[in-house]
Amino acid sequence: MPERRTVALVTLGCARNEVDSEELAGRLAADGWELVEEAADADVAVVNTCGFVEAAKKDSVDALLEANDLKDHGRTQAVVAVGCMAERYGKELAEALPEADGVLGFDDYTDISDRLQTILSGGNVQAHAPRDRRKLLPISPAERQQADGVALPGHGDALASAPEDLPEGVAPKSGPRAPLRRRLDASPVASVKLASGCDRRCTFCAIPSFRGSFISRRPSDVLGETRWLAEQGVKEIMLVSENNTSYGKDLGDIRLLETLLPELAAVDGIERIRVSYLQPAEMRPGLIDVLTGTDKVAPYFDLSFQHSAPGVLRAMRRFGGTDSFLELLETIRTKAPQAGARSNFIVGFPGESESDLAELERFITEARLDAIGVFGYSDEDGTEAASYEDKVDPDEVAERLARVSRLAEELTAQRAEERIGETVRVLVDRIDDEDGLVGRAAHQAPETDGSTLLSTGQELLPGRMVEAKVVGSEGVDLVAEVLSVGGTGCTEEAGR
């Protein structure tokens, strides 16, 4: 009987990392590893790190140190770093954090089982040397689909072959690059990668350097994975990538998303499709039409504005301004008055003046966004903006961050109040001991946009889709009374 090997995956950062963790889980389960929820119960704790901004990097280091502490009084024998921070810093992270028994990059994902076994057995796996992943794929998007041997987390591996007999709960290999995948929770919502990487060159962002150039997944793989997730009881699919509006450009059809969305919405068992990470400068009338007019596709617009003062946007190497952004939102709301819109903003960018900040405040005030994330600028290694002069004093950045955050909190609470009286479709997410039934309306993405507290005399399981009338609000959260119930919950469907 083979020796029992246990592994826990600890995921930090965005939904794209969550997909990567489930791909790693699929690979490990297919090779005989037993997946456990708690790091303290695992032989190996794998921490999928985030390397986006300083706060996220600190959280990743803290998670690695916390997992390392388990080695003194638990089952855990090894702690391994994977993910964006591990890919971005490699050997540098390994030297700075000897508590990590391994620092593995994206190129190690295909052989993750062998890497972990070597580490668990006391062997040494050399930390990878970071490289600019933008240089791994051809410059021409049209040539990227033919590039073999490049690790693309969430895309699978064109050279790998799946075992014939997969363990229960592991997704089959459904296409030339479809990954193995195993769900790590029973949530009724799951993310699916549309693409990886980014071709934009925003001066504040390091992501393209360690995630690489933009490359789309083939529609057949996205559809196959969505069908499998529906079979696992998933009701809502969230499409993720660094830039969903570019989907299909390397497949010869920049409008491919407009074709794919209705096909995904038609998958049996799926109740809602949500698209995240949209670039305002790349929004097309046809895409707006599909997002606002397709049954089961949420009229949800996660628009990456970042700022609205034209001068700051140019320094960020981005496009647009307050008036064009407001026109875009008006176009969306003309087609779907209840459409949700959210965005993130950076304050204190080098050269940002008081008038620039006032312009941003004007936009936020008039935009009526449902959710707003505000970040204070800080230099990121390897970015163009890090070399800019005319930096805003850190104390001033902190003051501007607090000022705009207060405004954002006030405005999003007002926007939630505006929704009182609306009838909304809510997916039940969980049953909370304190709040009772908690779900999300179409304008509320998981984790980021608030939730809807449901009042009903019925017992409902997670995964139920209900119609409800909004009767109150608490900050960005809504309070709603259930009017009617449709569909089946996760547990009911899984038990058929």
Side-chain angles (χ1 to χ4, degrees):
M1 184 174 181
E3 182 182 357
R4 180 173 182 251
R5 302 176 298 175
T6 57
V7 59
L9 285 143
V10 180
T11 308
L12 294 95
C14 65
R16 300 185 293 274
N17 258 14
E18 293 172 6
V19 176
D20 292 350
S21 285
E22 294 198 348
E23 178 186 359
L24 292 174
R27 291 183 182 276
L28 290 165
D31 202 43
W33 289 78
E34 179 182 338
L35 289 134
V36 297
E37 291 186 13
E38 300 296 332
D41 299 328
D43 296 318
V44 183
V46 177
V47 180
N48 192 348
T49 61
C50 179
F52 181 40
V53 294
E54 283 303 318
K57 287 183 276 190
K58 182 181 182 304
D59 288 344
S60 295
V61 170
D62 289 345
L64 288 163
L65 293 174
E66 183 177 339
N68 182 70
D69 289 341
L70 297 172
K71 291 191 290 187
D72 294 331
H73 40 257
R75 179 188 178 99
T76 309
Q77 301 174 51
V79 176
V80 176
V82 299
C84 292
M85 188 176 180
E87 173 65 35
R88 185 176 180 183
Y89 294 104
K91 291 182 178 180
E92 182 183 343
L93 177 61
E95 292 169 0
L97 198 69
E99 291 85 355
D101 300 286
V103 176
L104 307 181
F106 298 150
D107 295 329
D108 293 304
Y109 282 19
T110 301
D111 300 312
I112 187 67
S113 179
D114 290 341
R115 299 287 191 272
L116 296 191
Q117 184 59 57
T118 298
I119 293 169
L120 185 59
S121 301
N124 179 53
V125 175
Q126 186 175 4
H128 80 106
R131 51 182 173 166
D132 188 341
R133 298 192 74 86
R134 291 171 293 191
K135 299 178 181 179
L136 302 183
L137 292 169
I139 294 176
S140 168
E143 298 175 6
R144 293 174 188 167
Q145 293 289 330
Q146 286 70 50
D148 287 331
V150 178
L152 300 168
H155 292 238
D157 182 356
L159 302 179
S161 59
E164 292 184 5
D165 298 318
L166 291 172
E168 184 179 352
V170 176
K173 195 173 180 64
S174 57
R177 278 196 180 274
L180 296 175
R181 181 170 181 175
R182 183 185 186 277
R183 298 220 64 205
L184 291 173
D185 60 38
S187 169
V189 61
S191 295
V192 173
K193 274 196 180 180
L194 270 185
S196 288
C198 186
D199 288 342
R200 301 182 71 88
R201 293 295 178 260
C202 302
T203 59
F204 55 83
C205 183
I207 289 176
S209 66
F210 57 85
R211 277 289 184 180
S213 298
F214 184 89
I215 182 166
S216 303
R217 293 182 68 197
R218 293 189 175 276
S220 57
D221 287 347
V222 177
L223 274 165
E225 191 168 340
T226 298
R227 292 189 184 106
W228 175 78
L229 287 166
E231 292 169 1
Q232 305 302 303
V234 169
K235 300 299 182 182
E236 177 177 325
I237 292 296
M238 187 163 72
L239 300 177
V240 299
S241 76
E242 279 73 21
N243 177 9
N244 281 335
T245 33
S246 283
Y247 179 70
K249 73 175 186 179
D250 52 323
L251 295 172
D253 185 0
I254 191 60
R255 294 177 176 81
L256 194 56
L257 185 55
E258 287 94 304
T259 304
L260 178 61
L261 284 171
E263 294 183 68
L264 292 171
V267 171
D268 188 35
I270 295 298
E271 296 286 345
R272 179 184 287 156
I273 302 291
R274 183 184 305 278
V275 184
S276 58
Y277 306 112
L278 300 169
Q279 287 291 341
E282 298 180 31
M283 290 300 295
R284 307 175 291 276
L287 179 56
I288 295 174
D289 288 342
V290 171
L291 288 171
T292 56
T294 306
D295 186 39
K296 294 188 178 181
V297 174
Y300 174 80
F301 293 82
D302 177 13
L303 295 160
S304 178
F305 290 124
Q306 302 299 342
H307 212 284
S308 72
V312 175
L313 287 168
R314 283 194 296 271
M316 291 178 168
R317 219 178 286 285
R318 296 177 67 84
F319 307 94
T322 297
D323 293 335
S324 64
F325 291 164
L326 290 174
E327 288 174 8
L328 172 60
L329 291 169
E330 179 62 26
T331 297
I332 291 167
R333 288 169 176 147
T334 297
K335 296 177 181 295
Q338 288 185 225
R342 64 129 26 241
S343 193
N344 294 323
F345 300 92
I346 298 172
V347 297
F349 192 80
E352 181 190 61
S353 65
E354 272 293 335
S355 61
D356 292 329
L357 190 67
E359 184 70 1
L360 174 60
E361 291 173 320
R362 178 172 81 89
F363 171 67
I364 292 175
T365 300
E366 297 182 27
R368 296 170 56 234
L369 299 173
D370 292 281
I372 297 172
V374 188
F375 301 89
Y377 173 82
S378 62
D379 288 337
E380 279 296 310
D381 300 333
T383 61
E384 184 178 344
S387 66
Y388 284 0
E389 297 180 356
D390 199 16
K391 297 281 176 61
V392 179
D393 183 87
D395 289 339
E396 177 63 21
V397 173
E399 192 280 329
R400 293 181 185 185
L401 173 61
R403 167 178 155 186
V404 177
S405 296
R406 286 193 298 270
L407 177 63
E409 184 176 354
E410 177 185 337
L411 292 170
T412 52
Q414 288 178 7
R415 177 66 182 128
E417 286 182 12
E418 291 177 14
R419 292 192 177 275
I420 294 175
E422 290 183 355
T423 298
V424 293
R425 294 186 76 227
V426 179
L427 179 69
V428 178
D429 266 346
R430 67 186 189 278
I431 303 172
D432 187 270
D433 290 340
E434 184 175 335
D435 296 322
L437 284 177
V438 181
R440 290 175 296 99
H443 69 281
Q444 296 170 321
E447 307 294 337
T448 59
D449 301 337
S451 57
T452 299
L453 309 181
L454 292 168
S455 171
T456 178
Q458 304 179 57
E459 291 186 8
L460 300 177
L461 291 172
R464 281 281 196 180
M465 186 70 79
V466 304
E467 279 205 353
K469 182 177 181 179
V470 181
V471 296
S473 64
E474 300 174 3
V476 296
D477 297 330
L478 302 180
V479 179
E481 294 179 349
V482 174
L483 301 176
S484 62
V485 179
T488 57
C490 295
T491 303
E492 292 168 295
E493 182 144 306
R496 286 180 180 175

